Amino acid sequence: MRNNDLKPETLSAQALGHVDETTGAVTPPIHLSTTFERNADNSYPKGFVYTRSENPTYDVAEDLLARLENGAGGLIFSAGMSAAVAPFMTLRPGDHVLAPTVMYWALRSWLLDFTAQWNIEIDFFDVNKPESATDLVRPGNTKLVWIETPANPLWDCLDIAWFAQLSHDSGARLCVDSTAASPVLSRPIDHGADLVMHSATKYLNGHSDVLGGALIAAKADEWWDDIRRVRTAHGMVMGPFEAWLLLRGMRTLHLRVRKASENAMTIAEHFHNHPKVASVLYPGLPTHATHDVAAKQMEDGFGGMLSLRIDGGEKAAIKTAANLELIHRATSLGGVESLVEHRASIEGKGTPVPADLLRFSIGIEDVGDLIQDLEQALLAV
């Protein structure tokens, strides 16, 4: 069969069918060298110069990501934050950007500082009224529109196609943080996005042992070249070993994401209308405010992320987390193990996150065990 005819599950499991030409190894090798030899005429016939720019270990992971997202090219980064900030670092003073009020908190904080220092203007649109972005976009001046869907930690879904149209009509590019969905559940480029961002630390790697980020472009144009130069100039690359681990994690991506989504849906349905849960925030539930949008642009599930608002407020939420015995109290998401976090405490003063909210990253454990752990934790509050 031709490689182009293969399903995403097959491409991931076989790492694009890569077999090492030298040894016949079916696992892609790690190339730890930081530098590569020139020919006598000073040329680099194999295309590799220095690991801060390129390394053979990056290639398979980047090519696989591009295939999974139906993009023209992929780049892996040293962290999700590195990948997220790189597009903004291509902007010029006087440019305007648009972002949602609810998004990854660390990126929002960085954006406020960066735009102030570099004389870049920024507006935030209300995620509860996404149409408000229409009045904030500035045709000809807005260069970048950033959205996150599903958005952490309320898991609202924004209509990618609608924002793509808004962006392109204004001469801007649309970037989508699709970390919570992964390419298994949503492919933003298919809906008109120009750039997709992932914190590769999360679902792409999936084992809580690699820090990384990724960008995938719809077009390999001059802007994509600018982003590549930002990565090189700022040393935002992964180490070869981390890149190898990332690729290893992606080989089970579809199995992990689908199982986590299945577990999350079961948990959301179980605790919907639970006497000690004020509300369940999960886009797979028909009662979720943005379920229709999620159903339109997600497939094979709605992800492993959900939040519970605990009856009794902040104290009850924190005590519920403290009572959990199986689900770990820890930052991050997308691993095989289930995690819980009281986000308002982590984000601190000024956070838009409700104080009664617990964010859960649901893993691939037996769902009955997870439900039992949550039940006993709530019972003890």
Side-chain angles (χ1 to χ4, degrees), residues 314-326:
E314 181 176 12
K315 289 184 178 179
I318 293 174
K319 188 173 181 181
T320 299
N323 292 339
L324 290 166
E325 298 174 357
L326 177 63

Side-chain angles (χ1 to χ4, degrees), residues 28-34 51 55-62 65 75-80 199-202 204-214 231 235-251:
I30 305 172
H31 297 272
L32 295 175
S33 181
T34 58
T51 287
N55 182 292
T57 318
Y58 306 159
D59 287 357
V60 183
E62 292 178 340
L65 281 168
L75 291 173
I76 55 175
F77 288 76
S78 55
S199 173
T201 310
K202 313 304 193 292
L204 294 183
N205 170 256
H207 292 81
S208 303
D209 57 7
V210 170
L211 190 67
R231 185 184 74 160
M236 294 173 165
V237 291
M238 275 186 170
F241 181 60
E242 287 75 18
W244 183 86
L245 282 175
L246 171 61
L247 180 63
R248 186 181 69 167
M250 284 196 290
R251 296 179 78 158

Side-chain angles (χ1 to χ4, degrees), residues 116-308:
Q117 291 174 15
W118 289 93
N119 193 29
I120 294 168
E121 298 185 70
I122 187 167
D123 282 308
F124 293 94
F125 64 87
D126 186 348
V127 291
N128 295 312
K129 298 178 181 178
E131 65 277 4
S132 65
T134 304
D135 296 327
L136 296 174
V137 73
R138 305 177 191 177
N141 182 225
T142 303
K143 303 300 181 184
L144 199 58
V145 176
W146 182 277
I147 64 173
E148 180 181 342
T149 183
N152 184 4
L154 305 179
W155 313 117
D156 290 320
C157 293
L158 295 174
D159 191 323
I160 298 170
W162 187 88
F163 274 94
Q165 188 70 52
L166 175 70
S167 302
H168 298 157
D169 287 348
S170 304
R173 292 183 174 95
L174 176 66
C175 302
V176 178
D177 179 347
S178 192
T179 297
S182 88
V184 177
L185 306 180
S186 182
R187 287 167 295 283
I189 289 173
D190 291 352
H191 299 278
D194 299 287
L195 195 68
V196 181
M197 193 284 289
H198 292 280
S199 173
T201 310
K202 313 304 193 292
Y203 286 105
L204 294 183
N205 170 256
H207 292 81
S208 303
D209 57 7
V210 170
L211 190 67
L215 291 174
I216 302 93
K219 298 178 181 178
D221 54 13
E222 291 184 4
W223 185 49
W224 184 238
D225 291 338
D226 287 344
I227 292 173
R228 185 185 297 274
R229 282 191 286 270
V230 166
R231 185 184 74 160
T232 298
H234 292 267
M236 294 173 165
V237 291
M238 275 186 170
F241 181 60
E242 287 75 18
W244 183 86
L245 282 175
L246 171 61
L247 180 63
R248 186 181 69 167
M250 284 196 290
R251 296 179 78 158
T252 60
L253 176 65
H254 291 78
L255 294 174
R256 291 185 287 99
V257 170
R258 285 172 177 156
K259 177 59 176 174
S261 297
E262 178 186 315
N263 279 355
M265 188 66 175
T266 300
I267 291 170
E269 290 174 338
H270 180 90
F271 287 98
H272 181 59
N273 291 327
H274 190 281
K276 292 204 172 186
V277 175
S279 63
V280 178
L281 305 180
Y282 185 67
L285 291 178
T287 53
H288 191 276
T290 61
H291 172 73
D292 290 345
V293 175
K296 181 175 73 170
Q297 63 193 28
M298 299 179 78
E299 57 186 55
D300 290 336
F302 296 92
M305 299 303 301
L306 64 84
S307 295
L308 301 182

